[in-house]
Amino acid sequence: MAQIALSRRLRRTPFSDGVEAAGVKGYTVYNRMLLPTVFESAEADYHHLKSHVQVWDVSCERQVELRGPDAARLMQMLTPRDLRGMLPGQCYYVPIVDETGGMLNDPVAVKLSEDRWWISIADSDLLLWVKGIANGYRLDVLVDEPDVSPLGVQGPKADDLMARVFGDRVRDIRFFKFDKFEFEGRELAIARSGYSKQGGFEIYVEGSEIGMPLWNALFAAGEDLQVRAGCPNLIERIEGGLLSYGNDMTDDNTPHECGLGKFCNTHTAIGCIGRDALLRVAKEGPVQQIRPIAIDGDPVPPCDRPWPIVAGGKKVGQVTSASWSPDFSTNVAIGMVKLSHWEPGTRVEVETPDGLRGATVRDTFWI
Ligand code: THG
């Protein structure tokens, strides 16, 4: 394949030097920033992630910072999840919707204090939407992208590695909560979260200068834990049902279609811009929804365009992410399936580039 040209528009990260030294073999572009996709091979990276501990350059999970007296009000305007009970030190996975109830992003909201929030975004230009809302409604809030780059530490040995660098107190961080820890004289927010089901942390690295010192400290401390550079792994994230904005959903989908209804409290999320639209569509219920799908046969090629799901000669959905799973010895996939065919156990066919394959709609993801 041809190479992608590097330029200032395609941003490096504070950890790119370390990522390159670790032998990164592939990148994707996410929020106009480099995101590693493979180090050894997708399968080798997958087995290592499930057995040891990896350090992930997920700087591309950019932060939209809200600062000022109207920060909490603005945050609630963006999401149908009720934020009234959310305390400083908590993280919430929040659907962000537009005035039609369409998904604009599915970030993690980080509440630093009543008047200071980070929105840790997926791959869409959320900063522009948030700036537009803040200015259009004349809110008393500053909206910008700070010099904050998340560094993931994921895998079963993540607690042990992190305790060596930050002290045993990191073990006390609960899921989707964060606390502050010192590194070289800086206070960093560290959350128990991350884009894998293997457990771990995300360090919100504030100040690019400490990026490589922190990267090096983690690798120096973890040699005997077999720590490696890693990245979000396609196979593991499909097994775990972690959605990818732009792949598994777009602004054409409501949170309910994405299976994110459990993160919506549309009735009580007063002020949410998409509230009326969502109340209308939620009354009927979605007519298509994201489902785990097992695809029969040999390993499928990469899913770089939606693959039609067909039954009885009609299109009943599409597969948007797919991969061979070594641990489950089947092709695991995420698809959007119409109501008529979303019952667990329903047999369908998928039009892959390698031809028509049988497939089964499932109830639950694999992990
Ligand atoms: N961490 C941070 N920022 C991010 C991501 C992240 N920004 C981009 C992208 N990932 C946003 N999308 C997701 C998708 C899933 C989850 C987090 C962010 C996630 N979901 C869990 C699940 O579905 O099992 C837990 C959700 C919950 O119970 O609250 O973690 O990964 N900082």
Side-chain angles (χ1 to χ4, degrees):
M1 241 259 276
Q3 278 219 350
I4 197 159
L6 299 178
S7 77
R8 190 179 178 206
R9 286 186 296 101
L10 207 181
R11 299 178 286 179
R12 291 173 62 82
T13 85
F15 317 108
S16 289
D17 291 344
V19 163
E20 284 163 7
V24 64
K25 283 187 183 153
Y27 281 117
T28 186
V29 178
Y30 193 103
N31 287 323
R32 287 174 259 112
M33 205 171 228
L34 290 170
L35 170 61
T37 53
V38 58
F39 282 86
E40 193 178 336
S41 70
E43 286 207 14
D45 293 356
Y46 160 91
H47 290 303
H48 181 267
L49 168 63
K50 287 184 166 193
S51 316
H52 303 290
V53 55
Q54 297 183 345
V55 178
W56 291 7
D57 176 4
V58 283
S59 303
C60 65
E61 298 171 352
R62 301 313 295 164
Q63 308 305 302
V64 174
E65 179 166 301
L66 315 181
R67 199 152 33 97
D70 284 335
R73 180 177 165 213
L74 174 56
M75 191 67 230
Q76 187 66 80
M77 292 172 83
L78 303 173
T79 179
R81 186 161 178 182
D82 190 336
L83 303 176
R84 285 176 301 176
M86 187 175 179
L87 302 170
Q90 289 188 315
C91 307
Y92 274 14
Y93 183 38
V94 288
I96 303 287
V97 298
D98 66 16
E99 75 287 357
T100 72
M103 291 285 297
L104 290 181
N105 205 289
D106 69 329
V108 176
V110 180
K111 183 170 180 176
L112 297 159
S113 65
E114 208 52 54
D115 57 7
R116 188 161 175 243
W117 299 65
W118 283 336
I119 312 174
S120 187
I121 65 172
D123 187 19
S124 80
D125 290 327
L126 196 69
L127 181 66
L128 304 178
W129 169 257
V130 180
K131 275 182 179 285
I133 304 288
N135 285 284
Y137 283 89
R138 303 194 186 289
L139 301 183
D140 189 359
V141 62
L142 292 168
V143 179
D144 67 2
E145 183 182 303
D147 179 15
V148 172
S149 296
L151 187 63
V153 179
Q154 299 285 306
K157 301 181 192 166
D159 279 65
D160 292 337
L161 175 57
M162 288 291 282
R164 292 181 188 183
V165 176
F166 294 102
D168 273 321
R169 195 166 55 88
V170 294
R171 299 182 191 274
D172 301 336
I173 307 171
R174 306 271 299 261
F175 187 61
F176 265 59
K177 297 222 166 50
F178 71 87
D179 207 341
K180 295 286 185 95
F181 293 82
E182 201 201 290
F183 180 78
E184 294 192 348
R186 316 276 183 99
E187 290 286 311
L188 302 179
I190 300 182
R192 191 180 288 277
S193 59
Y195 200 64
S196 90
K197 290 284 191 182
Q198 304 309 309
F201 301 87
E202 290 178 305
I203 309 165
Y204 290 84
V205 180
E206 213 170 339
S208 294
E209 326 78 61
I210 58 165
M212 281 313 300
L214 175 56
W215 176 278
N216 291 329
L218 286 163
F219 282 91
E223 219 168 315
D224 60 305
L225 299 177
Q226 300 201 54
V227 61
R228 284 196 204 164
C231 51
N233 183 276
L234 177 72
I235 314 169
E236 198 270 351
R237 77 115 179 134
I238 297 174
E239 290 177 351
L242 295 171
L243 304 182
S244 168
Y245 186 80
N247 286 316
D248 303 317
M249 72 264 200
T250 70
D251 59 0
D252 285 336
N253 302 119
T254 65
H256 304 280
E257 289 177 341
C258 303
L260 301 180
K262 57 178 178 287
F263 301 110
C264 297
N265 322 92
T266 312
H267 282 281
T268 59
I270 310 296
C272 168
I273 285 168
R275 185 166 172 266
D276 291 349
L278 283 180
L279 285 173
R280 253 177 278 126
V281 300
K283 221 170 16 208
E284 312 276 307
V287 297
Q288 56 175 0
Q289 203 164 50
I290 283 181
R291 284 287 184 273
I293 296 163
I295 304 176
D296 303 346
D298 290 339
V300 289
C303 185
D304 61 355
R305 67 199 69 191
W307 296 340
I309 303 174
V310 294
K314 284 205 171 63
K315 185 179 180 218
V316 298
Q318 58 183 19
V319 163
T320 49
S321 299
S323 173
W324 175 258
S325 162
D327 284 352
F328 296 96
S329 300
T330 183
N331 292 295
V332 293
I334 299 175
M336 186 68 76
V337 183
K338 288 195 177 153
L339 183 151
S340 55
H341 288 77
W342 78 25
E343 212 52 47
T346 306
R347 287 289 294 169
V348 292
E349 288 183 302
V350 178
E351 290 177 10
T352 78
D354 291 357
L356 211 53
R357 295 283 185 96
T360 307
V361 179
R362 286 170 54 98
D363 188 14
T364 54
F365 284 91
W366 290 263
I367 52 178

